[in-house]
Amino acid sequence: MSTLILFLPSARPGPATEYSYTLTADGHTALRHATAPAALLPEPTRPGGEVVAVVPARALSWQRVQLPPGLPLGAGQQTPRLRSVLEGLLEDRVLDDAAQLHFAIEPGAHAGAPVWVAVCDRAWLREHLQALEAAGRRVARVVPEFAPGPTPSGRPELCALGTPEDACVVLTGQGADLGVAVLPLSSMAMALARAGTVAGTGPDEEDDAPLVRAEPAVAALAEQTLGQRATLHTASQRALEAARGDWDLAQFELASTGRTRALRKAGSVASALLHAPQWRAARWGAVLLVVAHLVGLNAWAWKERQTLAAKQTAVRTLLTQTFPKVQVVVDAPLQMERELAQLRQAAGSVSPRDLEPLLAAAGTALPAGRQPTTIEYSPGELRLRGVALAPDEEPALSARLQAAGYRAQLDDGSLLLRAEGTP
């Protein structure tokens, strides 16, 4: 999906506040990365694109709690009762008043099991979202810059951020719970990361060493302090990775409606199928499948046209061979019927559409003692007026006439007979 990803500044929003942003068309490649005030931020490049706000690692606190069993969770069940439970569980763990903080529960959380809760300043987050909405950039999702859980490398990772004067390191995949910790850029962070490696591996081995990434501004400082080579990792790359995560911090009073979430999810899935690199093979497969179906349908239609043309040619050939005087074939079945009618007339024979066969069929099918008061005849059609039938006699009459090759229609004491094939 076309996405505008914003980093929320750590200060409260004001007239001069600028947002660092990344614009992407597929969620994997950055088209543009810059900084601009809210009113000058670009819009997503495709209809249905979304705006994603990233909460910096320093603005979040991560808490591990166990919710009481039976407590309803989920996007549509974030009730005041659930918030009250979280306030009670976190009251002694946070420095600020719990009532002034914003809470967000990890995706797929289950009551009765330990869950991660993201905590940040509620007023700060709300003011930034309101400022962006006032500028016409309504935020669809709020995601953390770093989140707990397994890392791509499968071992603890360190990411150095900031400037040389104010540098920090974010440790992810730490400990048994795979948590997130923000620490000063020091050798102590590397010691914690090495302590979190999987038991039984050699932490001194290069393959088991924690992965170190750093912003360009602090890359040299990170290598010197941590004693390990660091891979450059820009803010734009972090923004793309954060936006692809499952987290959405817009919960409780900041949550979107169920309909909005469903539409957003459907749009994200559709955009990913159309543009994401990992779906490229599936898109090519779908195109090839459509092309194969089109080719098959055209081949089948061509074969059917050939078969129909062969049948039409056979009918015309039969007409011209049977009646050599017919030189021009316009409607072979109709012309053949006319020629046969002329032959019968010349031989003095009758056809099922003549008066005598129609009267004979009617006389055979009508119940005994039923006589019409009026007889009307036109070629291929006979109408007998004054014929009254009981309801149980009509099906039998129709069946007898149909067996003789005629269709019957009863209408208010009138019986209409037509030879099969007569319109």
Side-chain angles (χ1 to χ4, degrees):
M1 172 180 286
S2 175
T3 308
L4 174 65
I5 311 172
L6 311 169
F7 272 99
L8 300 182
S10 57
R12 295 286 182 89
T17 300
E18 292 190 342
Y19 295 87
S20 175
Y21 71 86
T22 298
L23 189 64
T24 175
D26 57 9
H28 292 77
T29 305
L31 299 177
R32 194 192 318 168
H33 177 72
T35 302
L40 300 180
L41 289 171
E43 294 185 3
T45 57
R46 291 192 180 92
E50 66 176 5
V51 178
V52 177
V54 180
V55 178
R58 291 183 177 183
L60 279 176
S61 169
W62 294 97
Q63 303 294 333
R64 188 76 164 167
V65 300
Q66 182 162 337
L67 299 176
L71 189 66
L73 300 177
Q77 297 175 316
Q78 293 171 349
T79 60
R81 179 194 171 198
L82 176 57
R83 178 171 176 85
S84 298
V85 171
L86 289 175
E87 289 182 4
L89 292 173
L90 298 174
E91 185 176 7
D92 297 332
R93 302 192 191 183
V94 294
L95 298 177
D96 297 327
D97 183 5
Q100 305 301 319
L101 298 175
H102 175 70
F103 303 130
I105 302 174
E106 70 173 297
H110 299 283
V115 298
W116 282 107
V117 179
V119 184
C120 69
D121 186 282
R122 181 167 53 181
W124 166 82
L125 180 58
R126 182 192 292 115
E127 289 175 10
H128 273 294
L129 297 182
Q130 291 174 347
L132 291 169
E133 184 172 0
R137 304 296 183 269
R138 182 181 179 86
V139 174
R141 286 191 301 137
V142 182
V143 299
E145 184 178 11
F146 296 92
T151 60
S153 63
R155 58 184 188 268
E157 296 182 359
L158 293 160
C159 186
L161 310 175
T163 62
E165 297 77 20
D166 183 23
C168 70
V169 62
V170 180
L171 174 58
T172 55
Q174 188 226 1
D177 296 328
L178 305 177
V180 175
V182 180
L183 306 169
L185 182 55
S186 64
S187 57
M188 182 61 67
M190 177 59 75
L192 288 175
R194 290 186 178 276
T197 54
V198 180
T201 61
D204 295 329
E205 295 180 11
E206 184 177 352
D207 292 341
D208 297 322
L211 177 65
V212 177
R213 299 182 295 179
E215 285 188 323
V218 294
L221 179 60
E223 291 182 351
Q224 178 183 354
T225 304
L226 301 177
Q228 185 172 321
R229 183 173 181 81
T231 303
L232 292 181
H233 196 61
T234 64
S236 181
Q237 291 174 303
R238 296 200 312 277
L240 292 171
E241 291 177 359
R244 291 197 298 269
D246 297 331
W247 276 84
D248 187 358
L249 303 182
Q251 299 180 22
F252 294 100
E253 69 275 7
L254 300 181
S256 304
T257 63
R259 181 174 179 272
T260 302
R261 286 193 301 272
L263 291 175
R264 187 167 66 236
K265 182 65 175 178
S268 300
V269 171
S271 181
L273 291 175
L274 291 175
H275 305 291
Q278 65 267 31
W279 290 101
R280 184 176 291 113
R283 290 195 294 271
W284 277 109
V287 170
L288 292 176
L289 183 62
V290 171
V291 171
H293 275 78
L294 290 176
V295 172
L297 287 173
N298 279 279
W300 175 78
W302 176 83
K303 182 180 179 181
E304 290 297 314
R305 286 196 298 270
Q306 293 297 108
T307 303
L308 179 60
K311 291 181 179 179
Q312 292 174 342
T313 301
V315 171
R316 289 195 295 269
T317 302
L318 178 61
L319 173 61
T320 54
Q321 289 180 350
T322 306
F323 303 100
K325 67 176 183 177
V326 178
Q327 300 297 323
V328 179
V329 179
V330 179
D331 188 341
L334 180 60
Q335 290 175 276
M336 186 173 294
E337 185 178 355
R338 289 175 180 173
E339 294 296 329
L340 289 174
Q342 291 177 5
L343 287 178
R344 282 195 297 267
Q345 186 177 5
S349 59
V350 295
S351 71
R353 303 175 73 252
D354 292 333
L355 176 61
E356 292 83 355
L358 286 169
L359 286 174
T364 304
L366 285 171
R370 307 297 171 85
Q371 299 294 332
T373 58
T374 304
I375 299 177
E376 298 177 3
Y377 170 75
S378 60
E381 182 177 292
L382 177 67
R383 182 180 295 275
L384 305 178
R385 299 186 181 274
V387 177
L389 298 175
D392 58 341
E393 294 176 335
E394 295 180 8
L397 174 68
S398 298
R400 286 194 292 268
L401 289 173
Q402 187 174 8
Y406 295 95
R407 290 182 291 122
Q409 180 180 347
L410 295 169
D411 183 18
D412 193 18
S414 176
L415 175 63
L416 179 63
L417 273 74
R418 290 193 183 94
E420 292 286 355
T422 301

